[in-house]
């Protein structure tokens, strides 16, 4: 394994860090309220960052999402790249790639995904190309031009949001979510193979784990700066051992989220099996991410509970990502089932090989 960024990945990450740092400031976030920062989205698209994801791969996207998470930038970058650009590039037909990818690259088209937070069947039925059902909430649905819908049979369908019902839903974090209502809406099938659903779900888990790594890093950086500046009895709070230990634990948790997301992304880019690795990254992002954002708020004392204080945004994003990825116990149970299934399949394969060799 080698997680060293390529020159292209490094350049894209540095450019993203500069744009997010310049435009996603606390003052601008406060002015945006719960809405999407349209100017920031235009700047990202003008810089070619959504389109660059095809070249830098999932590991490159994780690096870019870390930078978004550090500033809690309110743009549909993760969903459009995961459920749109990467999904269509990997599983779309030649016609779909030619028709949809240009708009996703330049940002004139925005995608999102109506997949269950965890593995398993969805709540949408597909029959003769028409979809019926509802999804309680879909991130950035109100900004999307189309949504990737997972049906109960694990098939994937592209649906224009203009053709579907969208009811605004407010979440813990300002993700411009909506309730998706489908009443016999015509969909366009994406990918005919059985692996499309599993790949898109694993890709999403990995990408959102990378976003959580950035959220946690930003929360911890604010906590470190605050405890070094804030004095108590003539000494900085950071000089106290209890504060140092809490910050150290948060740092280790953040690094665990980051390295597991890197490994899952690297394996996908190398065309290696990565389903269990994506679940591992999701577990760390859910369990450890929750601990880190709570620590960041705690280390700020009373001001950490102020909804207008910058660190509170990291707390909201961290808890929302925890909910989106699924609670740690549920993710861990799914990981155990997948490991058991893969182990049984490996045993059957070994048995088949042994029988064949004996026959020969």
């Amino acid at each position: 394994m080698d997680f060293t960024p390529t020159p292209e990945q490094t350049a894209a990450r540095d450019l993203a860090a500069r744009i997010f740092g310049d435009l996603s400031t606390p003052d601008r976030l406060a002015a945006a309220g719960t809405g999407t920062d349209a100017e920031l989205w235009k700047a990202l698209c003008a810089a070619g960052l959504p389109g660059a994801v095809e070249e830098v791969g999932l590991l490159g996207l994780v690096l870019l999402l870390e930078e978004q998470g550090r500033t809690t930038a309110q743009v549909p970058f993760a969903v459009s790249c995961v459920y749109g650009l990467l999904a269509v590039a990997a599983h779309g037909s030649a016609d779909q790639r030619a028709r949809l990818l240009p708009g996703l690259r330049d940002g004139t088209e925005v995608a999102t995904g109506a997949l269950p937070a965890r593995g398993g069947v969805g709540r949408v039925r597909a029959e003769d190309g028409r979809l019926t059902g509802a999804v309680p909430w879909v991130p950035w649905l109100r900004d999307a031009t189309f949504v990737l819908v997972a049906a109960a049979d694990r098939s994937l369908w592209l649906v224009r949001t203009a053709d579907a019902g969208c009811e605004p839903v407010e979440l813990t974090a300002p993700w411009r979510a909506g309730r998706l209502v489908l009443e016999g809406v015509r969909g366009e099938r994406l990918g005919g193979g059985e692996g499309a659903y599993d790949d898109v779900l694993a890709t999403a888990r990995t990408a959102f784990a990378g976003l959580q790594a950035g959220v946690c890093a930003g929360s911890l950086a604010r906590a470190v700066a605050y405890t070094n500046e804030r004095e108590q009895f003539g000494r900085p709070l950071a000089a106290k051992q209890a504060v140092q230990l809490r910050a150290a634990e948060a740092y280790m948790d953040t690094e665990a989220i980051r390295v597991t997301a890197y490994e899952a992304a690297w394996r996908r880019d190398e065309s290696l099996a990565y389903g269990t690795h994506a679940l591992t990254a999701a577990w760390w992002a859910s369990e450890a991410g929750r601990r880190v954002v709570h620590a960041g708020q705690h280390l700020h004392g009373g001001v950490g509970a102020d909804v207008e204080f910058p660190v509170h945004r990291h707390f909201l994003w961290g808890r929302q990502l925890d909910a989106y990825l699924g609670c740690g116990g549920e993710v861990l149970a799914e990981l155990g089932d997948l490991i058991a299934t893969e182990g049984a399949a490996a045993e059957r394969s070994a048995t088949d090989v042994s029988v064949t060799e004996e026959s020969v």
Side-chain angles (χ1 to χ4, degrees), residues 62-88:
V62 167
L63 294 172
L64 298 179
L65 292 178
E66 274 193 83
E67 300 306 326
Q68 178 185 0
R70 289 179 198 277
T71 60
T72 61
Q74 293 172 197
V75 287
F77 191 58
V79 290
S80 196
C81 288
V82 169
Y83 299 120
L85 196 74
L86 292 179
V88 173

Side-chain angles (χ1 to χ4, degrees), residues 237-311:
L237 288 176
K240 298 182 180 297
Q241 189 178 47
V243 172
Q244 294 172 3
L245 291 174
R246 191 77 192 275
E249 290 173 349
Y251 173 78
M252 293 304 296
D253 274 338
T254 301
E255 288 301 295
I257 299 169
R258 176 182 288 116
V259 73
T260 51
Y262 283 6
E263 181 179 13
W266 175 83
R267 290 183 67 87
R268 183 187 189 273
D269 291 342
E270 294 296 317
S271 300
L272 301 172
Y274 74 110
T276 55
H277 301 80
L279 275 167
T280 301
W283 182 82
W284 274 105
S286 177
E287 283 285 289
R290 175 170 45 81
R291 289 196 297 265
V292 172
V293 296
H294 274 265
Q297 196 173 41
H298 185 199
L299 290 173
H300 277 78
V303 297
D306 184 351
V307 296
E308 296 182 358
F309 204 74
V311 77

Side-chain angles (χ1 to χ4, degrees), residues 27-221:
D27 289 341
R28 283 178 57 85
L29 287 169
T34 60
T36 295
D37 190 332
E39 183 179 343
L40 173 57
W41 180 244
K42 289 179 181 178
L44 292 169
C45 295
L49 286 176
V53 171
E54 287 181 278
E55 299 178 11
V56 300
L58 183 54
L59 180 55
L61 176 59
V62 167
L63 294 172
L64 298 179
L65 292 178
E66 274 193 83
E67 300 306 326
Q68 178 185 0
R70 289 179 198 277
T71 60
T72 61
Q74 293 172 197
V75 287
F77 191 58
V79 290
S80 196
C81 288
V82 169
Y83 299 120
L85 196 74
L86 292 179
V88 173
H91 304 289
S93 64
D95 173 68
Q96 287 171 332
R97 292 195 298 270
R99 182 161 38 89
L100 298 174
L101 287 179
L104 290 166
R105 290 171 184 142
D106 63 22
T108 54
E109 297 272 13
V110 175
T112 187
L115 274 71
R118 306 182 307 280
V121 298
R123 306 185 182 189
V124 176
R125 301 186 308 277
E127 186 175 352
D128 296 329
R130 294 193 176 274
L131 306 178
T132 303
V135 181
W137 65 273
V138 178
W140 281 287
L141 182 62
R142 284 179 276 169
D143 287 341
T145 52
F146 67 86
V147 54
L148 184 65
V149 181
D153 60 358
R154 297 163 70 94
S155 58
L156 296 177
W157 300 82
L158 295 168
V159 175
R160 286 284 168 183
T161 51
D163 299 331
C166 175
E167 303 169 1
V169 175
E170 295 301 331
L171 304 178
T172 301
W175 282 9
R176 292 278 291 171
R179 180 173 183 265
L180 181 67
V181 180
L182 302 168
E183 298 178 351
V185 175
R186 175 69 65 181
E188 181 181 357
R189 181 75 181 266
L190 178 73
E194 294 181 357
Y197 172 87
D198 291 332
D199 178 58
V200 172
L201 182 59
T203 299
R205 284 168 164 159
T206 304
F208 280 96
L211 183 61
Q212 181 77 300
V215 169
C216 291
S219 174
L220 183 58

